[in-house]
Amino acid sequence: MSEWYKESKDKLHDHSFNDWDNFMSSLINEFNNHTNESLVQDIVIRALERKKEIPNAFILDHLLGELGLFPYIDLENSTTKDKIRQSLFTTPQDNAKTFHIRQAEAFHRIMNGENIVLSAPTSFGKSLIIEALIASNEFNNIVIVVPTIALIDELKKKLFKYNEHYKVITQVTQQSGDRNIFIFTQERVLEYKQFSSIDFFIIDEFYKLAPTSKNDERCDRLNLAFRTLHRKCQRFYMLGPKINGLVSGITEELRCTFLQFDSYATVATNEFFYPLKIKSRKDADIDVERDEKLFKILKDIGRDEQTVIYCKSPKRASSLMTRILNTGLLTSDDTNNDLSEWLSDSFHRDWSLAVGVKHGIAYHHAQLPRAVGALIVDLFNDSKINILICTSTLIEGVNTNAKNIVIYDNCIARKKLDMFTFNNISGRSGRMFEHFIGNVFIFGERPQIELPYIDIPVVTQSTNASESLLLHLGEDVKDENQNKVQKFYDQDILPIQLLLKHQGIDPNRLLRFAENLIENCGTWNSKMVWDGIHPNAKQLHHLSVILFKYFNVSSMGGGTVRSNAQLNRKLINIINKVDDKALINQEFIFWHQDNESYTIDDAVQSVFSFKKNLVNYNLPKIIYAISDIQEIIFKRFEYSYGNYMRFTTSLENFYLPAAINSLEEFGIPNQVAKKIIEHTTFEDIDNIDSVLDGLSKIRNTSFSYLTDFEKTFVIKALSYM
């Protein structure tokens, strides 16, 4: 770091500094040297925060123009040259929005037919390019692949303005229109069977194409989603945070250009390091020191600035919020009283989130009900919540107006933060036009591991490609990998088509279960021959044993299922449509009697994790595979067989009309959606398009059966329908 940069930064940080003539002179000299353009850019951005104090501020606008930061130029006081230049960089979607020079480069290269893989800082504005591509009206059918439901929600709201030109589709049960924007996770890309023509596809957070472990099933599914889309359309844009590059051969194979703008930042960042003196493997020991530092930071910041605190897990997030509340640092007010009361009534009055929102603090993680999570992000961005504790799911692309980021934990789950993830988290501080300078507070050491090179195993078929992924490549598997998949073709236990049909489930697990079914065909038959939506007690118990023994469901629910008996009991609750409040009470009573440290928050998290990770996602897919396997094996030995399809569909929707579960993603919680369904007649209650159409037609009704607060969910959701 140059001495000039350090001195300039210190001067801008000193609020008594006012020698602007010399400051601007040195800034111009440094710019003319053309040696440290990224450092000059950082100082120019920092100076914007004090622009009103600078007598010759027009020089800043000139430098902004030379650096290509056109959105920041003050048009009223700019030169004719700057005005012309800025007009040339106006975005297609909005004359009031302007590209900076690197955004414009990426956009125009895509429009000229190049496939672009873009690596750039978090604050670069990569998603503005997505909106510009849509606004260009060049493409009829666009698929955007995002890693989380939270990102689906954010993009859906952002792109709603184009609903006159496109139908925005976010769920696999929706029918396509003449022109469509599909916003899907990788799983939904693979599930959606109605793609006709695709003109362009986008993969956000493309680094997730590279596996992080030996059996990274979500990574496999993203690779397969990429392959599915690339076979239909060769035009794409992939975007993500700073990386070193792509593994050798990928750009040639995909005929794409890797654009690396790692040093082109649009906001400046202050980093503050807090080394930890306590050396221990136990979080509880280190948290004493972390908390002391955190409480001081929060006291200094106050409630005038938005602060995000990163924790490694949902349990860590809720327990930290409880400790912050217990300090008395935060005073309660009436801003979020309605939300607090609704959370108490719908889930539990002692849930820390219900208490926290009254004090301007909340947490966000992937297991929260989707409508609740989306509302919390909105409240944070509206400054009605000032402190937001989050896990990595909010860090992965969701935009907030946080000025401050505190990296409380230095890992994700048990894996240490690498430089790549650190940059991704710290880059969330500051935001164009919100804060020119963001602050990042790091507990522990800065990661030293270099930025990664990203592999795309479905393209390279490297050692990173799992057996399951290679199997799905069929005839495209390279000769050197044939031996890895040949065993699946050589076996005669299950047809290869069945293994391919159930992508995302380890084929070795499917084969192991099928082998055991063959061995126990006679004794298991009576327990497995059923259809409909209500298996009897023996049948459900047997299914629970199979799920637990053969498909490792204990690892899928965040530790919420520890035995087949427990799984069986929880499935009975779902079948009986027991509501969340009762489930939370049951869970708390069951565990608290043997463990006094078990809290309401633990019970809430357990219920949410079970419902979201298992009931709403993993279990239906596995049970569907089990159904296919038992049919094939029992037919082979001339036994009668069952059909679990209606059961899986009912389970996936918590034994409620499918629309209730779907409306959650449109911002209407299940508790509110149930009331709407009960009081409204829809043409087809299980068709989300029909329900959305029906809701749009009654948007002007009073919804008298809802509370005033519940109506706010509906009003907001209707504004994006």
Side-chain angles (χ1 to χ4, degrees):
M1 188 182 296
S2 75
E3 191 63 33
W4 168 84
Y5 172 75
K6 186 177 181 306
E7 287 178 4
S8 299
K9 190 175 165 184
D10 290 342
K11 287 172 184 175
L12 289 171
H13 190 65
D14 177 4
H15 290 286
S16 65
F17 173 77
N18 60 7
D19 186 8
W20 296 113
D21 287 341
N22 284 326
F23 177 85
M24 297 305 289
S25 177
S26 73
L27 182 55
I28 291 168
N29 288 337
E30 195 65 27
F31 172 77
N32 288 333
N33 286 336
H34 300 292
T35 53
N36 285 311
E37 191 168 290
S38 62
L39 296 182
V40 170
Q41 186 158 320
D42 185 85
I43 293 300
V44 169
I45 291 168
R46 289 174 184 277
L48 286 173
E49 202 160 72
R50 299 187 64 178
K51 188 175 181 181
K52 291 179 181 176
E53 302 172 46
I54 304 175
N56 46 357
F58 70 90
I59 297 174
L60 272 184
D61 283 321
H62 173 73
L63 289 173
L64 288 168
E66 294 302 306
L67 292 164
L69 288 166
F70 310 124
Y72 281 149
I73 294 174
D74 180 359
L75 271 183
E76 288 185 17
N77 300 310
S78 60
T79 63
T80 303
K81 176 185 174 183
D82 284 333
K83 286 177 181 174
I84 293 171
R85 189 156 47 183
Q86 193 170 40
S87 69
L88 291 173
F89 286 86
T90 299
T91 63
Q93 65 267 37
D94 189 341
N95 287 334
K97 287 184 179 177
T98 309
F99 283 134
H100 58 65
I101 196 164
R102 297 306 182 197
Q103 284 172 323
E105 179 181 345
F107 171 72
H108 288 297
R109 290 177 77 158
I110 293 169
M111 293 302 293
N112 287 331
E114 282 189 70
N115 293 322
I116 295 296
V117 180
L118 176 62
S119 165
T122 305
S123 60
F124 181 90
K126 296 180 285 290
S127 59
L128 185 69
I129 300 168
I130 295 177
E131 194 177 338
L133 291 167
I134 291 165
S136 72
N137 226 19
E138 180 83 5
F139 310 105
N140 289 322
N141 291 291
I142 302 170
V143 181
I144 307 173
V145 187
V146 295
T148 64
I149 300 295
L151 269 172
I152 288 181
D153 293 339
E154 181 173 294
L155 262 181
K156 179 173 59 186
K157 292 173 184 176
K158 188 177 289 184
L159 301 181
F160 176 75
K161 67 184 82 165
Y162 303 104
N163 67 336
E164 288 185 11
H165 304 285
Y166 292 97
K167 180 174 181 179
V168 178
I169 295 176
T170 60
Q171 301 194 10
V172 295
T173 53
Q174 289 181 269
Q175 298 291 319
S176 59
D178 293 332
R179 306 181 83 221
N180 306 279
I181 301 170
F182 302 91
I183 311 173
F184 284 163
T185 56
Q186 53 262 49
E187 288 81 7
R188 293 183 186 187
V189 170
L190 297 174
E191 288 169 26
Y192 196 72
K193 306 302 180 188
Q194 301 174 52
F195 288 126
S196 50
S197 63
I198 297 171
D199 305 299
F200 194 79
F201 72 91
I202 297 164
I203 295 185
D204 193 9
E205 308 292 323
F206 75 88
Y207 67 90
K208 290 180 175 291
L209 284 159
T212 57
S213 60
K214 188 176 180 182
N215 291 305
D216 189 341
E217 291 183 352
R218 287 215 77 203
C219 174
D220 280 356
R221 290 193 284 267
L222 182 56
N223 274 266
L224 291 172
F226 173 83
R227 183 171 183 257
T228 298
L229 295 171
H230 193 254
R231 282 182 152 190
K232 292 179 178 291
C233 169
Q234 273 70 58
R235 292 197 67 183
F236 61 83
Y237 165 47
M238 298 201 286
L239 57 149
K242 294 194 281 187
I243 63 167
N244 251 332
L246 299 172
V247 166
S248 176
I250 290 177
T251 54
E252 293 81 7
E253 179 75 22
L254 296 179
R255 296 178 183 174
C256 63
T257 304
F258 178 64
L259 285 186
Q260 191 171 22
F261 297 136
D262 290 353
S263 60
Y264 198 85
T266 60
V267 296
T269 304
N270 295 323
E271 293 181 354
F272 304 97
F273 289 90
Y274 296 81
L276 297 171
K277 297 173 185 174
I278 295 176
K279 305 297 179 186
S280 173
R281 291 187 175 182
K282 293 182 179 178
D283 276 325
D285 296 336
I286 308 171
D287 284 352
V288 174
E289 186 179 355
R290 287 188 183 118
D291 285 357
E292 183 182 337
K293 298 177 190 301
L294 175 65
F295 299 159
K296 185 180 185 307
I297 290 168
L298 294 179
K299 188 175 180 181
D300 291 341
I301 290 172
R303 288 180 67 171
D304 293 331
E305 294 179 359
Q306 301 299 95
T307 302
V308 165
I309 304 171
Y310 167 75
C311 284
K312 64 183 176 183
S313 69
K315 183 175 175 61
R316 296 278 290 163
S318 64
S319 62
L320 177 58
M321 187 171 77
T322 300
R323 296 200 299 277
I324 292 171
L325 287 168
N326 289 340
T327 63
L329 275 171
L330 307 175
T331 55
S332 65
D333 56 41
D334 299 332
T335 307
N336 300 313
N337 268 3
D338 288 344
L339 172 59
S340 178
E341 288 174 17
W342 184 80
L343 292 172
S344 297
D345 292 342
S346 302
F347 302 101
H348 201 285
R349 59 186 168 82
D350 294 330
W351 184 18
S352 66
L353 191 63
V355 179
V357 294
K358 292 179 71 172
H359 292 76
I361 184 172
Y363 59 72
H364 183 287
H365 54 72
Q367 309 314 321
L368 283 177
R370 289 158 187 165
V372 173
L375 177 61
I376 284 169
V377 172
D378 287 344
L379 290 173
F380 182 77
N381 286 333
D382 291 339
S383 299
K384 292 178 180 176
I385 287 171
N386 311 104
I387 300 171
L388 186 56
I389 306 172
C390 72
T391 58
S392 61
T393 52
L394 194 67
I395 295 301
E396 293 167 350
V398 176
N399 288 315
T400 67
N401 64 346
K403 180 167 186 178
N404 307 295
I405 298 282
V406 180
I407 301 181
Y408 185 87
D409 284 325
N410 65 348
C411 51
I412 292 180
R414 295 177 184 175
K415 186 182 177 185
K416 286 276 188 185
L417 289 184
D418 53 22
M419 197 65 211
F420 167 76
T421 311
F422 171 82
N423 284 339
N424 205 9
I425 295 173
S426 64
R428 298 287 157 190
S429 67
R431 190 176 175 186
M432 282 188 81
F433 307 111
E434 294 273 357
H435 315 289
F436 294 115
I437 305 172
N439 300 308
V440 182
F441 305 88
I442 302 109
F443 295 170
E445 301 298 321
R446 182 188 178 99
Q448 299 301 315
I449 303 168
E450 287 191 2
L451 292 171
Y453 284 87
I454 297 300
D455 187 14
I456 305 179
V458 77
V459 176
T460 63
Q461 293 189 38
S462 65
T463 54
N464 288 323
S466 68
E467 287 183 353
S468 179
L469 178 61
L470 291 171
L471 175 64
H472 283 88
L473 298 185
E475 295 178 356
D476 294 334
V477 174
K478 294 178 180 177
D479 291 344
E480 60 266 30
N481 286 325
Q482 285 289 346
N483 63 318
K484 294 181 181 178
V485 296
Q486 194 58 43
K487 64 178 181 180
F488 297 117
Y489 290 93
D490 292 343
Q491 57 83 29
D492 57 4
I493 299 165
L494 289 174
I496 197 72
Q497 290 81 6
L498 186 144
L499 299 179
L500 293 170
K501 178 181 178 181
H502 296 286
Q503 53 192 0
I505 301 176
D506 184 348
N508 294 294
R509 291 188 181 279
L510 297 175
L511 288 168
R512 179 171 166 254
F513 164 64
E515 279 182 312
N516 277 260
L517 178 55
I518 290 168
E519 291 172 11
N520 296 282
C521 222
T523 53
W524 285 8
N525 182 257
S526 63
K527 302 171 191 174
M528 296 189 74
V529 178
W530 54 273
D531 56 19
I533 65 172
H534 292 111
N536 65 33
K538 285 185 179 179
Q539 291 162 348
L540 186 65
H541 177 263
H542 185 67
L543 179 62
S544 300
V545 170
I546 290 170
L547 288 166
F548 199 84
K549 182 175 180 180
Y550 297 99
F551 294 97
N552 196 29
V553 296
S554 59
S555 69
M556 299 172 187
T560 60
V561 174
R562 305 177 193 182
S563 68
N564 60 64
Q566 194 180 24
L567 175 61
N568 187 61
R569 176 174 61 82
K570 292 190 173 195
L571 288 175
I572 290 170
N573 281 333
I574 299 298
I575 292 169
N576 291 333
K577 295 187 271 196
V578 180
D579 67 24
D580 287 344
K581 194 168 188 177
L583 290 174
I584 290 163
N585 272 322
Q586 277 186 25
E587 195 78 3
F588 178 71
I589 292 167
F590 181 84
W591 291 107
H592 186 72
Q593 59 189 353
D594 295 324
N595 178 7
E596 288 188 359
S597 65
Y598 192 86
T599 66
I600 289 295
D601 271 42
D602 292 329
V604 170
Q605 175 57 33
S606 178
V607 169
F608 287 172
S609 187
F610 175 72
K611 290 186 72 174
K612 192 161 188 181
N613 289 341
L614 286 171
V615 179
N616 190 227
Y617 184 68
N618 282 300
L619 290 186
K621 287 177 172 50
I622 297 170
I623 296 169
Y624 182 21
I626 292 170
S627 181
D628 279 355
I629 291 171
Q630 60 85 33
E631 180 179 343
I632 281 174
I633 301 299
F634 286 146
K635 272 183 178 178
R636 187 181 299 168
F637 293 98
E638 299 183 347
Y639 284 96
S640 55
Y641 56 88
N643 185 335
Y644 309 161
M645 279 305 301
R646 288 173 61 203
F647 174 73
T648 60
T649 303
S650 299
L651 188 68
E652 188 173 19
N653 292 301
F654 307 108
Y655 279 75
L656 298 167
I660 291 179
N661 193 37
S662 296
L663 285 174
E664 178 84 49
E665 283 188 29
F666 286 85
I668 301 177
N670 284 351
Q671 293 85 345
V672 179
K674 284 179 192 175
K675 293 182 182 180
I676 293 172
I677 299 297
E678 286 168 8
H679 289 84
T680 312
T681 302
F682 294 100
E683 194 172 309
D684 183 355
I685 191 63
D686 287 317
N687 183 308
I688 186 59
D689 281 330
S690 172
V691 171
L692 293 176
D693 184 54
L695 275 176
S696 296
K697 288 174 181 174
I698 62 169
R699 66 172 67 236
N700 295 321
T701 58
S702 64
F703 295 101
S704 56
Y705 48 87
L706 300 178
T707 66
D708 287 343
F709 179 72
E710 288 172 333
K711 288 175 188 175
T712 63
F713 283 113
V714 181
I715 291 166
K716 183 173 282 189
L718 286 172
S719 69
Y720 296 106
M721 287 183 187

